[in-house]
Amino acid sequence: MASPTAHSVDITAGLCNICSEIDFESYFRSEIHRGSAEFGLVRETEDALPLGNRMQIRQKASDCSFCALVEASLEFSFLAPGEDARCVMLSYCCGYGSNRQHPAHRIRIRATSKARPTFFFWGDIQLLGEDAHTMGFSPQYHARAMPFDRFDINLGREWLKTCKERHGDLCRIPGRTPEEKVPSSQPTHLYAIDLNNMRVCELPEGCEYATLSYCWPAVQYLTLTKKSQGDLFRKGSLTRLMHQFPGTVQDAILCAKDLNIDYLWIDALCIIQDDTRHKKRQLRQMDRVYGASLLTLISAGINSQMTVFANCLSHYCARQLSYPSDMLNAFEGASTVLQESFQTVLWQGLPESFFDHALNWTLRGNLRRRRGQATPGSNQPPAPLFPSWSWAGWDSAITLDDYMQIDERFTEVEWFIVNEKLEATRLLIENAAEITYSPNGNKFVAVKEYNIFDFLPNIVPRLAVNPQADEWRNAREIACCTTTARFRIDGTLQADSSRPRHMWSLKDMAIKDADGVVAGGIWMPEEFAAAKETEPQLYDFILLSRSLQSAPIIGFERKTFFDETLYPYRDWCTLNVMMIAWTQRGTATRLGVGIVHEDAWVAASFEAVFVALE
């Protein structure tokens, strides 16, 4: 068997009293102790097999091979190194072949911490494909052991050597052609990890260094602070303190050393986290920090671009900045890496190639805009620092979890970004899906015909636009011709809530049609939901796109999000919509995103509309 960290363990080597009673083969043959799954989550039943507390399991790990595997599976679960937790065991179906034959199952270890009862932690244990074959299972969806020697560090060194000796300015000047010969500005007063002496130091001028791009764990670990600075600057300190860093940081240090790189920059260890002046100066040069580095190590263990973006943002937005105006500046380094990886541009923090999908972020906290400082003596609220359609525009943590699990998304509108000169350019959004419209099937709900020049007379071809130029880099308005419909929100919550447990501050609210029938749903902050219970209100929604709901997991029914007695489910029936509020200027601001059944959209007599979102 193998854990997600690719350990291969022979559990027959020795087991403790608890583990010796487990019929492991039965867990890999069927779902055991699998509770009701909401939003695709894997949860345990009340009688799930107890394995003991995490610290007890850790103590037995040296003598019990399965306890060692359990401990390894929880290594990246965001539990703090010394945090205890109650562990239980279950199994769930992770995939199946054609015609839903030959299901594969994994063991899941679910951990519950008394210190953080509202959070949940887990690790998965997989059966190796070769072992599955000997047990009569299909090897599909089972693990493959990757031998360490499959990654040749010498090859990495050769690549770096080739880059330095043969690529010249093509690599030394990122984002520019060699003919321009304009080197990237070098960061100043930069701290870095001295990998030869294993300490933090001031980076010597002109020295090569590597950078790490990763998502911070959900729990705090040892970082550079005024208090820890003296210790971390001592020779050999990082060797002594290595166990206090998350696995991603440890791996980055070891990898950079193996590549014969002398210096490594990691934000948590190279920016003084509680020194406002130092932190502000460093955040403002993030683009130079990443742009001038020899290479960037990217922590990647996730499957899709959207998942990478979602995880990165969810962790980033949870940070507290001393200067809210630096929200996007501080994200600049990560933006550079994401843009290179995705081969697309980020507009106000949202990737262009899947812009319509990225618009579907949800607030996890208060419905409160991120604003600048108040003007002394003025009764007017400060102006918002960022647009309402960008996650940066709201003073809250956010999530990019889909309201429902989907397989594909289909774009229904063309989006334009508009700068202060009132120049507009159409965003290049990928749209690989196809839909067939018919009277008894999917309905046509977008604007059929329009002349965009009636609304945006000064359109610039996208290929002629430089997104880094000041007039486009600071563009704050997006616009589209779409359709709009009005629905009621009265505080009613969805009966079958799909809200994950980690979004405890959100309410899964029903969107109702004119007859009070549930036509869709939306996640909104708790304070908003409470207000609608006493003051129901009609809201305008605009069409964004539509989604194809994922097939249900074996043994579980498809989840419902609208009253299917009136709005029957069919593929691609789910519209992704944005709830908006109109301004006195005739523009709109974003309030939230949800889903509505296409038949309800038609029944609401949708209308064509030009919308400029500020």
Side-chain angles (χ1 to χ4, degrees):
M1 291 182 288
S3 76
T5 50
H7 299 295
S8 182
V9 177
D10 178 11
I11 62 170
T12 63
L15 297 171
C16 66
N17 293 336
I18 293 177
C19 296
S20 62
E21 298 295 323
I22 300 174
D23 181 1
F24 294 102
E25 183 172 334
S26 66
Y27 279 83
F28 289 118
R29 286 192 179 277
S30 61
E31 292 190 331
I32 299 178
H33 302 309
R34 163 83 183 255
S36 60
E38 295 179 353
F39 197 68
L41 293 176
V42 177
R43 296 179 179 173
E44 75 279 14
T45 58
E46 293 184 358
D47 62 343
L49 181 65
L51 298 176
N53 291 335
R54 184 189 181 197
M55 294 308 170
Q56 296 171 338
I57 294 171
R58 180 177 293 176
Q59 291 174 357
K60 297 187 295 179
S62 58
D63 299 318
C64 175
S65 54
F66 188 70
C67 283
L69 198 54
V70 170
E71 173 63 16
S73 74
L74 294 174
E75 183 177 354
F76 297 103
S77 66
F78 294 144
L79 282 166
E83 186 174 7
D84 204 0
R86 175 181 175 270
C87 300
V88 299
M89 174 174 158
L90 63 142
S91 62
Y92 71 99
C93 177
C94 61
Y96 44 83
S98 59
N99 299 321
R100 301 193 177 184
Q101 300 296 313
H102 310 297
H105 297 85
R106 292 176 184 169
I107 288 176
R108 170 154 291 185
I109 308 301
R110 288 274 276 114
T112 305
S113 169
K114 288 185 178 179
R116 292 183 286 167
T118 59
F119 289 78
F120 55 97
F121 311 89
W122 71 85
D124 282 355
I125 298 173
Q126 301 181 52
L127 187 67
L128 285 173
E130 58 197 66
D131 293 335
H133 182 73
T134 62
M135 296 169 65
F137 303 157
S138 167
Q140 277 190 311
Y141 298 101
H142 291 295
R144 290 183 298 163
M146 298 296 292
F148 179 76
D149 58 7
R150 187 67 58 86
F151 172 67
D152 186 356
I153 196 69
N154 292 321
L155 182 60
R157 296 189 191 114
E158 284 298 317
W159 287 342
L160 274 178
K161 182 180 178 181
T162 300
C163 177
K164 292 179 181 179
E165 295 178 355
R166 301 183 185 179
H167 293 174
D169 289 342
L170 186 65
C171 288
R172 283 196 293 269
I173 307 175
R176 300 177 174 87
T177 61
E179 292 76 16
E180 291 179 282
K181 297 185 182 301
V182 180
S184 297
S185 301
Q186 297 294 305
T188 59
H189 304 292
L190 193 69
Y191 291 153
I193 297 172
D194 178 352
L195 295 170
N196 295 315
N197 295 302
M198 289 299 286
R199 68 185 182 97
V200 179
C201 70
E202 187 165 346
L203 180 69
E205 184 177 353
C207 284
E208 292 181 338
Y209 65 94
T211 52
L212 172 66
S213 177
Y214 70 117
C215 295
W216 281 34
V219 295
Q220 187 65 38
Y221 64 92
L222 179 62
T223 60
L224 180 63
T225 61
K226 294 176 182 177
K227 183 178 180 180
S228 66
Q229 184 174 1
D231 196 11
L232 291 174
F233 271 63
R234 292 192 183 95
K235 184 177 180 179
S237 61
L238 298 187
T239 301
R240 174 171 49 84
L241 299 171
M242 185 71 83
H243 68 284
Q244 296 190 36
F245 304 134
T248 301
V249 171
Q250 296 182 37
D251 290 344
I253 291 174
L254 296 175
C255 182
K257 286 171 67 73
D258 284 343
L259 290 172
N260 296 326
I261 297 172
D262 293 329
Y263 295 95
L264 173 65
W265 183 91
I266 300 176
D267 57 356
L269 293 173
C270 300
I271 297 177
I272 304 175
Q273 301 299 315
D274 57 352
D275 186 329
T276 301
R277 184 178 179 183
H278 179 265
K279 193 171 185 178
K280 181 179 180 180
R281 183 170 62 240
Q282 297 302 319
L283 290 177
R284 286 182 171 174
Q285 63 173 2
M286 283 300 94
D287 55 338
R288 285 181 282 160
V289 171
Y290 283 98
S293 67
L294 176 64
L295 60 85
T296 296
L297 302 171
I298 300 178
S299 172
I302 34 189
N303 298 322
S304 68
Q305 289 185 347
M306 191 59 192
T307 306
V308 173
F309 180 66
N311 279 276
C312 185
L313 272 198
S314 294
H315 287 291
Y316 177 79
C317 291
R319 300 186 185 186
Q320 297 294 321
L321 296 183
S322 300
Y323 297 91
S325 58
D326 281 335
M327 197 65 185
L328 285 178
N329 290 337
F331 193 61
E332 188 71 29
S335 295
T336 301
V337 176
L338 291 172
Q339 289 177 149
E340 292 179 359
S341 299
F342 297 167
Q343 292 297 294
T344 192
V345 173
L346 266 65
W347 297 98
Q348 296 289 328
L350 299 183
E352 180 173 356
S353 62
F354 49 98
F355 189 83
D356 60 327
H357 194 163
L359 278 173
N360 284 267
W361 51 265
T362 298
L363 293 174
R364 291 175 59 179
N366 296 323
L367 194 68
R368 183 174 61 234
R369 294 292 299 275
R370 182 172 277 116
R371 299 179 181 274
Q373 294 184 347
T375 303
S378 173
N379 294 325
Q380 297 297 320
L385 292 170
F386 305 102
S388 66
W389 49 268
S390 170
W391 51 267
W394 298 85
D395 188 15
S396 169
I398 63 114
T399 181
L400 271 135
D401 290 321
D402 288 298
Y403 186 81
M404 67 178 187
Q405 290 201 307
I406 65 170
D407 280 336
E408 294 184 78
R409 188 180 298 270
F410 179 81
T411 299
E412 288 280 7
V413 299
E414 292 184 313
W415 284 103
F416 295 80
I417 191 157
V418 186
N419 63 24
E420 291 185 352
K421 298 179 180 179
L422 298 183
E423 298 172 324
T425 191
R426 184 173 69 86
L427 300 184
L428 304 179
I429 302 174
E430 298 175 1
N431 200 9
E434 294 183 2
I435 295 177
T436 301
Y437 300 106
S438 67
N440 298 320
N442 295 126
K443 309 299 192 300
F444 196 94
V445 292
V447 180
K448 291 185 177 181
E449 294 182 6
Y450 64 92
N451 184 355
I452 192 63
F453 291 97
D454 291 341
F455 308 98
L456 299 172
N458 192 5
I459 295 180
V460 181
R462 176 64 183 85
L463 296 180
V465 169
N466 176 10
Q468 297 304 317
D470 287 342
E471 66 267 25
W472 291 106
R473 179 185 177 89
N474 298 318
R476 294 169 57 96
E477 192 172 280
I478 56 174
C480 69
C481 285
T482 184
T483 57
T484 182
R486 183 165 289 188
F487 293 91
R488 181 181 180 86
I489 294 183
D490 60 8
T492 301
L493 303 183
Q494 289 277 23
D496 185 13
S497 174
S498 60
R499 176 180 57 84
R501 288 183 184 175
H502 70 277
M503 289 192 258
W504 55 268
S505 60
L506 297 179
K507 294 297 183 182
D508 188 1
M509 306 189 70
I511 296 176
K512 294 184 178 181
D513 65 14
D515 297 320
V517 178
V518 176
I522 186 171
W523 284 331
M524 291 299 289
E526 192 170 20
E527 62 181 57
F528 177 90
K532 296 308 113 179
E533 291 179 4
T534 55
E535 297 181 13
Q537 191 170 342
L538 292 173
Y539 284 93
D540 287 331
F541 291 80
I542 60 171
L543 173 68
L544 302 179
S545 56
R546 66 169 78 216
S547 294
L548 176 63
Q549 187 175 350
S550 300
I553 300 174
I554 292 178
F556 292 86
E557 296 181 356
R558 177 182 51 78
K559 296 187 68 61
T560 59
F561 298 92
F562 18 73
D563 187 339
E564 294 192 11
T565 59
L566 183 62
Y567 301 121
Y569 173 80
R570 66 178 75 94
D571 286 348
W572 293 108
C573 71
T574 306
L575 305 181
N576 302 299
V577 297
M578 179 184 292
M579 184 166 67
I580 62 171
W582 297 101
T583 70
Q584 293 181 349
R585 297 175 52 228
T587 58
T589 58
R590 178 196 194 275
L591 296 179
V593 289
I595 62 170
V596 169
H597 194 286
E598 62 179 342
D599 291 352
W601 198 259
V602 172
S605 301
F606 67 83
E607 298 179 348
V609 65
F610 172 78
V611 181
L613 283 168
E614 63 175 32

